[in-house]
Structure formats: C-alpha cells, structure tokens
Amino acid sequence: MLLRVATVAPLVVLAAVQLGVHASPSLSDGLGPRFEASLARRDGEEHHHHNGAPLLVLNETEVTMYHAPTPPSYYTIDWEDEGYQQSHGGLMIVHGIFMCLAFFVSLPVGIALRSVKHAAHGIATISFYTFCALGCAASGLYRKMTPNMYEGSVHGTQSYLIILVALSLSALDIFAAARRIISFLRGPDRSPGAFWRYVIKKEQLPGTSPEYSGIVADEPEEYDSSKLPRDSVELQRVSLTGSDDHPDDHPNSHPTEQWAHAVHRHHRQYSTASEGTVFGSHSYSHSQDTLDELKSGRGLLPRRSFLNRIGRAAFAVVERALVIAGFAQLLVGIVTYTGGCRQNYVNGCLAHLIKGGIFWCYGLLTFARFLGSFADIGWSWNISPSDNAYTAEFVESLVIFIYGATNTWMERFGANPGDPFTTKQIQHIGIAVMFCFAGLVGMGIESKRVRKWLASSVYTSSSDPRDIPQEALAEPQSYMGSFNPFPALVIGVTGAAMAAHAQTYLFQVQIHELWGNLLLAFSVLRCLTYFFLWLGPSRSILPSRPPTEALGSFFLACGGLVFMFSTEEVTIAAMRRGRDDVMMFLNVAVALTCFAFCWTLFVVGFKGWLKSRKQSPAADRNLA
C-alpha cells in the first residue's frame, strides 16, 4: 500500500484543505499553494488528506480522486451481483480445497515420508498430483463458464510453473526408482520380498556401495539417539578433559571412579556453539569429535562426495520451497478472485502481502523450532549433536540483511526520475537501512572467527598466553548457545515504528497499531528467551522448548497476518461494508494463526512419529 504520512496533532490542527470534508475556508485560503506543495513533498502524490487528525468516516469523493473505481470481480459476480445464484462459485471453492490439500497436506506428508525412506512416499506423491489435477480441472471448468474478470492475471501461469517444478523433482524420483529396479534385476535375489525391500523401501542392495546413487537420495538423516555411540557424547568429552591425568596419579582408584571424577571436573566446558576454548589449540568441541568420527568412518552418516551433498541439499531446499510457493499462490489467487491490487494499488498491495507473508512464515518456522524441528543442527535452543557451522540467529541475520539490502532501493518504486524524496519514502528507506546493517552486525556476532578476534582483547602486549592457566581460557557456559539480539531488535523497532504510522483514517491507524504491537511483543519475548537461557543454558541435545518462544512465534505469525489485512484496499473495502471493526480483524487473525499452528504441529509431529518408529524402545523412553 502506498501509505501517506501526515502529522498527528491531537490538540492543534496544522492544516485543513477542502477534500470532501468540512474545513475552515479562511484557514485553507491563508495556507496557499506553497503549503500544499510542502504537503506533496511530505506525503507524495498518492491518496492522503491534509488534516492532522485521522478521519472517522470514509470519504468516497477523496478516494476516487486518487484511485479508480473498484471494478467488478469474480467475487462480486459469484456472491453479490444480480443473478449470483446462477453463478459457479462452488467450482472455485472446490479448486481452492483441492489445491490446499495438495500443497499443505500431501506435499508436507510426502516430505516427511521421504525423510525416513518410507514406502508410502509414492502414495503421498500420487495423491499430490491427483489433488492438483482435480483442482486444475475445477479451475478450468470455472473459467470456461465465467467471463474474464481480471485482465493480465498471472495466477494460472505461475501455478503451472510451480507444478512443473514439482514434476521435475518427481522425474528425478522416477529416475532413481528405475536405477533401483535395474540393480534389483541384476542382483541374485529377485523374490517379491526383495523387490519390496530394495525397490519400494529403498534398502541397500547386498554388495553395493552404501552411498546412495544420484542426487535424489533422501535428506541427511537427523539425529537419532539410538544410533549415537556412547563415547561420542559424554565419555569422549570426559576422556579429553581428563587426558592430562595419568593412571599413576590414582593407582588405587577403580576405572569407574576415575571416570566419575573426570565427569565432576568436566562441568560441560565444551560448546557446540563455538570451538572449545578461545585460544587452546588442543581443545576439541563435540562438533569436532563428531566430525572426526565421520571422517574415520565411525560416525552416524556415511561419507558422501561434495557434489552429492550439494545435490541432496538443493533437492531438499526446492522441495520445501514448494510449500512456500503454494502459500504465495494462495495469496495471489485470493487477490485475483477478489479483483484487488490493480492500477496504483499494486505497489502497496505487493509490499503488504510480501512483507506480511514473510513475517507469517517466519512465525510458523519459529513455532516449528519450538516444537523440535532443526534440533539436529541445534536450532531448537539445544546443543547441536552434529557439526553445524551456522546458527539459527546467523540465518535470521542473513535474511534480515537481504531483506534490507533489496528494500532500500525498492522503496522508490512508482516515483518518477527527479522526484524529491517524500517523508514516507525516507521513513521506509530508514527501516530498510536498519535491516541491512543490523543484519550485518548479527552475522558478525555469529562468526566464530570474529569472536576469536574480539576475545584476543583479553591479552596485553606484555602477557604470555602460556602463562595463563588453561582453565581460565575455557569457554563460559553462555558460549553453549547463541544470544544475538539483533534479529529481535529490528523486528521490534519495525513494529514500534509502524504502530506510530499515520494514516488517512482512524481504522487504518488502529490496524497498523495492532500488527505493529504484535511484532513488538515478539521482540520482547525473544529477549526474554535469551535472558532465561543466559541464566541456564541448555545442556541437552533435546529441544528445550522455551515457552516465551511459543508465545513469540504466535505474535509474530499473527502480526504478519494482520500486516496483510492492513492493505489500503482491504481497509477501504471493510469501511464500505461496515466491517471496520478492529476486534473482528484481530479475532479472524488469531483464529487463522491457531489453525496454522495446528497444521504445523501435525506436520512436525507426523515426521517425529515416523522417526520414532525407527528407534529402539529404549531410545523412545530416553527421549520421552
């Protein structure tokens, strides 16, 4: 939405210009064209009113001065215009249901089944394409019987491109299945049971390489406590910590007693978030131990070639991106059906939908982290059981940096060459620059190399590192986690700024205050998460599930949804229909967010249930 910026003065009215509302003629005449020019420089040439206080009632005359009349849409001919009873809106409902089942049920279930090499993955893939075919058939039939109400719509073209990407991934699956069938036919055992094990369940054929052929291998197996060697977590760390103690120092002690003393001395000094000690050249972290085991062939994962790992990672990223693409097409489909985002509404509409959608997805991913997703790489506020070079805060800072770097120059979209910068543009560019440089600071804080450079300040020019006791160089417990406040900072400042964003109408002001305060609440709760984890860092590889993150993720996702609702076109449509009620908007957003959280819980829980079936009963009891 092309937002206009006005000065809110509750006690003194700075200006009043006659634009469909009553104003003082003498005051407006005294201001003259110079003042109107200053308002144009401040607000730009888009829809705005020049009063200090926001308006309470929609002024249709003013709206039509800056925006073309709203044209009919698929929604109006299906549900509002005369003769709508003979329309075919039911086909569009069928289309939406089937496409949602395809991208938000079958696709996530298929991804989860692939992660455990389940034989039902093929069934999930078939259901995905079945739902897509039924949805496309309903849409095609609807278009045949309904006139084109949105010229230049790209919803259909983009949807077919996304399905084509999905087909390309399935083609790689088919190619990999064909290779398994050929290997099976060349093998000595051709029984139906062997076909089920080696072709359908994708088990390793006898006498073949353990490395899966092709890039369509399953995703890297997540942490499995039942497969973790006992000496790779605690005993190996204890042996490293007690490596300076010789058996001769305790000639009468039992080996178990020596191990217990070593555990007492250890105190979990080594961290997966950094590198053992700051300067100790012989200190090893758990990540290094695990990496050494992988290199020596004793680790959890088979050794793979570099290109194979790149191919597997790219395949997994593209497959998961299809879910995000499905959500984007859902938004574009709603816009096309309701006839929004046309003419000079388009820039503001895209800004609200894209940015609000980012916060929405960010909230769902944060809730998935709370549930335990990405615990295998230490992103669930736990100790990483594997070698992970990047923390979740680093990825958040990277995304924030990219967001700011791109939006810095995109804020001038719609401006003519040589136009002066308006106050609104300066406001938004300032937020984008904050994102850019705060993201850089966040990435720098997460860099292990930068941390070592910063830690070198503990030395003076005359001190010798060899004179400092090794215990004094051990990392503090806070190094076991990442405490990076900059992602929360930029989101909190953005929320506070947008809560104070001036608007034409009071309802628009209230909606912006609502989602701005929701983002600010996420920032406060994320800081509380860091506060409590700083006091008691996680000592387990299991997800710690801070309750502040459950609440923060909810506020973040709900704020992103209200962000999308605050589009100028939506708020004006609500005022025209008498639906300009902030409580209604909030309740709808909360209801949809709760529904989405249930979907997230189902997806994460279903994947966890599949993985638990591969573990031993003892491992299940330990994890529980």
Side-chain angles (χ1 to χ4, degrees), residues 379-400:
W379 286 9
S380 293
W381 298 277
N382 63 318
I383 296 177
S384 176
S386 61
D387 183 35
N388 177 33
Y390 303 104
T391 63
E393 285 74 11
F394 178 87
V395 176
E396 289 177 341
S397 299
L398 176 62
V399 174
I400 286 172

Side-chain angles (χ1 to χ4, degrees), residues 13-19 21-32 51:
V13 178
L14 298 180
V17 179
Q18 184 71 25
L19 286 174
V21 295
H22 296 289
S24 170
S26 59
L27 180 59
S28 61
D29 293 341
L31 292 175
N51 285 344

